Amino acid sequence: MFGFSPEVEVQRRPALIPSLQKVQKIAAGSNHVLALTTDGTVYAWGCGEQDQLGRRMVERRRKEHALTPHKVGLRKGIVDIAAGSDHSFAMHKDGTVYSWGLNNYGQTGIGQNAGESEATVLKPAIVRALKERKGDDSSRIVQLVGGNFNSIAVTEKNECLVWGRLDNYATGLDLSTMGKGETETEEGKDEREDVIYDDRGRPRILTVATPLPNLKVRYAALGTEHAIAITTEGRAVSWGFNSSYQTGHPTDEDVKVATVVNSKAVREKTLIWAGAGGQYGMVAAELSS
């Protein structure tokens, strides 16, 4: 395991990165880091094998070079960043969202090669599904969140937009509404253009950012395979993989659709924040007077 520079294999104590100055936000994936500076520039370093650094790595000494922070090829004026396990996001001040990195489940929000086992987006590309949302439902993105194979965006109108892998229930959507693809025995029924189906006709990937119905959200968090959202009313709603009760529901079965967390510990509290890791979740409440 390499450390934070080509000269150090294991960084045992915190070390200053002298090449980075005036950092206002950091986002970390499984093996890569993004940093946003006050002038709107994004830097990336760490593992780049899934193109999550936004640049092509030369094979010779690629690991060592990847450990040095380099600018990501984005126009100036970036105001926010986010990182999934192996993919990355950046948002420009005009509301345009860019993404890059691993895209085998369409987690970047870009349809390019989604569904292929080693699909990646090499360089930052505009997430058209967010830029081209039209009509009364369209609104500016105020939060971006990346998970393992899924992503979330929260809008200023409190929509919770989800996309990526479907068969792990990490979108919180009812899969029975996703239509049916072609199978060996019958033609597809109600097949959706924004859904990729497996060879048995089951919904596998949602390629376009889609709002969770009947849900107004002010904040969201994504773990590896589960999500927790805080509603505008201060309640926690969660869904996804739940073998370790990480959704906050009293069952070890997967929570297949977005469901209100109704445990005694949070029932009478107004919640304002959520966090999610691999096998745990957490929420924060307003301080009582």
Side-chain angles (χ1 to χ4, degrees):
M1 173 65 71
F2 287 85
F4 295 104
S5 72
E7 294 76 29
V8 180
E9 290 190 354
V10 179
Q11 186 65 53
R12 301 185 183 279
R13 295 183 179 181
L16 179 68
I17 303 176
S19 61
L20 286 178
Q21 302 289 331
K22 298 181 179 179
V23 174
Q24 62 174 319
K25 185 173 183 178
I26 289 177
S30 292
N31 293 291
H32 77 291
V33 185
L34 304 176
L36 174 63
T37 61
T38 54
D39 67 357
T41 302
V42 179
Y43 291 81
W45 68 98
C47 177
E49 293 181 359
Q50 285 78 40
D51 295 329
Q52 60 267 58
L53 302 184
R55 65 182 188 270
R56 189 176 297 282
M57 303 303 300
V58 178
E59 187 64 32
R60 185 174 63 87
R61 296 190 62 187
R62 64 186 296 177
K63 291 184 177 180
E64 291 90 339
H65 288 166
L67 293 173
T68 302
H70 284 274
K71 291 181 181 180
V72 179
L74 290 157
R75 55 185 176 135
K76 285 191 175 181
I78 300 300
V79 295
D80 198 11
I81 54 175
S85 293
D86 299 300
H87 62 293
S88 305
F89 292 102
M91 185 169 67
H92 192 265
K93 62 184 178 182
D94 67 6
T96 302
V97 176
Y98 298 86
S99 67
W100 60 97
L102 187 64
N103 199 40
N104 55 340
Y105 283 93
Q107 55 265 56
T108 65
I110 297 169
Q112 175 183 326
N113 300 324
E116 298 179 9
S117 61
E118 297 182 1
T120 65
V121 176
L122 172 60
K123 296 181 180 180
I126 294 174
V127 184
R128 298 290 178 185
L130 297 178
K131 184 178 179 62
E132 297 174 356
R133 299 180 69 241
K134 301 180 183 298
D136 293 338
D137 291 334
S138 64
S139 58
R140 188 182 181 91
I141 305 300
V142 296
Q143 185 194 6
L144 291 162
V145 192
N148 196 10
F149 303 123
N150 296 81
S151 300
I152 290 176
V154 177
T155 74
E156 63 183 356
K157 290 186 178 179
N158 303 113
E159 297 171 295
C160 186
L161 308 176
V162 296
W163 65 93
R165 186 172 181 176
L166 285 167
D167 54 6
N168 61 352
Y169 306 112
T171 63
L173 292 167
D174 183 354
L175 299 194
S176 68
T177 68
M178 295 287 104
K180 185 177 182 181
E182 293 186 2
T183 68
E184 296 178 356
T185 57
E186 64 176 321
E187 295 181 355
K189 296 178 179 178
D190 301 319
E191 186 171 339
R192 289 174 46 158
E193 293 183 355
D194 59 349
V195 173
I196 296 175
Y197 301 87
D198 65 18
D199 56 7
R200 298 182 63 182
R202 296 173 299 193
R204 187 164 181 259
I205 299 170
L206 180 63
T207 61
V208 176
T210 302
L212 283 170
N214 305 314
L215 192 64
K216 294 295 185 180
V217 166
R218 66 172 57 165
Y219 191 87
L222 258 176
T224 304
E225 305 283 346
H226 73 290
I228 305 171
I230 304 300
T231 70
T232 54
E233 297 175 343
R235 304 294 302 277
V237 178
S238 65
W239 59 90
F241 191 56
N242 197 39
S243 64
S244 300
Y245 306 97
Q246 54 263 57
T247 66
H249 295 285
T251 175
D252 59 1
E253 296 183 357
D254 295 345
V255 179
K256 296 182 178 181
V257 296
T259 306
V260 174
V261 178
N262 196 32
S263 69
K264 184 178 180 180
V266 300
R267 194 174 299 156
E268 303 299 326
K269 297 185 182 298
T270 300
L271 305 177
I272 57 174
W273 180 87
Q279 295 180 322
Y280 66 91
M282 61 182 73
V283 294
E286 289 183 343
L287 291 173
S288 57
S289 57

